[in-house]
Amino acid sequence: MAEILEGRQVLHDEYTVRGHGGDGIVVSVFRSPDHPGSRPAIVYAHSGGLMFGDRFNALAMNLDWVEQLGAVLVCPEYRLAPEFQDPYAREDLYATLVWSVANAGDLSIDPRRVMVAGASAGGGLAAGAALAARDRSGPALCGQLLVYPMLDDRGRTPSTGQFDGVGVWDRISNETGWAAVLGDRYGGDDVSPYIAPARATDLTGLPPAFIDVGSAEIFRDEAIDYATAIWRAGGDAELHVWTGGFHAFDIFAPHTALAQGMMRARFDWVANRLSD
């Protein structure tokens, strides 16, 4: 953390929030001292296949939202499988979202400009949180940022079979993650769309979505399918499929022209959604 925050104009606070079942989870909040007043917020779920990672994944990149846009970045330490199976991760994230809006005054958050975001497994959790917020009459969201999201436990898309034994996250990795979080329910009928959003049959009434994914990765087709389903439901989705991009290439190869383009497009969309 010290290395990530060194030289940045960022304030960092830690909170304990009631997650699923009322248990306490740690939530990190990052704010800019140079942007006073009520600010937009991004509630961010980290990557890690629902099994690993922590709330500081991709933080160095995401702090650009704080410094340049003045956004409040809220990062929960949602609980991981297999020790904590569904619904822990998704309900920890949703509880963080509700807490952020309920404490908007203390956190300097503008409740009219709150977005959910996440990468990979976190992208799936963010999509699930948007569905839950709609269904539960929860916080009104201004957007959902879904970065190469993990959306479907059923593994039925062509890209799932194409990336088998190759890449940083392949078919076996994916099956392992889903089995860890779902247990005996994995692949069956009793799986909530809040953890596997591709299972949702109603995508009306959702906030605008930004979905990006590489063309050379397992999540390519389910990301495309999810954007298409949003459009068919009359919703707003911006989809980017980055030719030649592998899973999380913005993290593993940030110096490349492709990754730079991906991050610029993503940043511009966030800036637009969070603008006054």
Side-chain angles (χ1 to χ4, degrees):
M1 280 297 299
E3 292 180 3
I4 293 173
L5 294 175
E6 184 177 4
R8 288 184 176 268
Q9 295 300 308
V10 172
L11 303 175
H12 169 217
D13 294 296
E14 299 277 281
Y15 298 87
T16 299
V17 174
R18 288 185 178 274
H20 177 63
D23 300 323
I25 61 169
V26 178
V27 174
S28 295
V29 177
F30 302 91
R31 287 171 283 198
S32 169
D34 298 328
H35 294 81
S38 185
R39 302 302 305 166
I42 301 171
V43 179
Y44 184 83
H46 68 78
S47 60
L50 300 168
M51 300 179 293
F52 55 89
D54 59 39
R55 65 191 183 280
F56 305 126
N57 284 25
L59 180 61
M61 178 168 52
N62 295 345
L63 285 177
D64 289 346
W65 299 327
V66 179
E67 287 191 302
Q68 298 181 39
L69 302 179
V72 178
L73 178 63
V74 182
C75 303
E77 194 68 49
Y78 67 82
R79 282 167 286 184
L80 300 172
E83 291 82 3
F84 296 96
Q85 293 186 336
D86 185 61
Y88 279 91
R90 60 177 167 95
E91 294 300 336
D92 285 348
L93 177 63
Y94 187 75
T96 302
L97 171 62
V98 171
W99 171 83
S100 300
V101 174
N103 293 275
D106 292 338
L107 298 172
S108 301
I109 287 174
D110 179 355
R112 302 167 303 166
R113 294 184 289 162
V114 176
M115 175 187 300
V116 288
S120 195
L125 293 175
L131 288 166
R134 178 201 64 183
D135 296 343
R136 300 172 183 177
S137 299
L141 300 174
C142 69
Q144 51 178 325
L145 176 67
L146 313 180
V147 179
Y148 32 81
M150 181 178 176
L151 299 167
D152 197 344
D153 65 296
R154 295 166 294 186
R156 305 186 302 185
T157 64
S159 58
T160 301
Q162 290 171 342
F163 298 95
D164 190 350
V166 61
V168 298
W169 188 262
D170 72 344
R171 179 183 63 83
I172 296 298
S173 305
N174 206 44
E175 291 176 355
T176 303
W178 281 118
V181 76
L182 294 176
D184 293 340
R185 289 174 291 155
Y186 169 46
D189 295 331
D190 187 23
V191 175
S192 170
Y194 302 151
I195 188 65
R199 288 177 173 262
T201 57
D202 178 11
L203 295 182
T204 60
L206 293 174
F210 180 97
I211 303 173
D212 61 358
V213 70
S215 68
E217 69 156 292
I218 190 172
F219 295 139
R220 180 194 65 212
D221 294 339
E222 57 196 70
I224 294 170
D225 290 348
Y226 200 68
T228 302
I230 292 174
W231 292 325
R232 287 176 176 165
D236 180 356
E238 180 172 328
L239 171 67
H240 293 259
V241 181
W242 298 95
T243 302
F246 59 90
H247 187 64
F249 70 92
D250 56 333
I251 301 297
F252 291 106
H255 60 285
T256 62
L258 194 68
Q260 291 292 316
M262 182 190 220
M263 291 185 282
R264 279 195 304 272
R266 188 187 304 157
F267 184 90
D268 289 347
W269 184 88
V270 171
N272 180 59
R273 293 308 310 166
L274 297 185
S275 62
D276 294 326

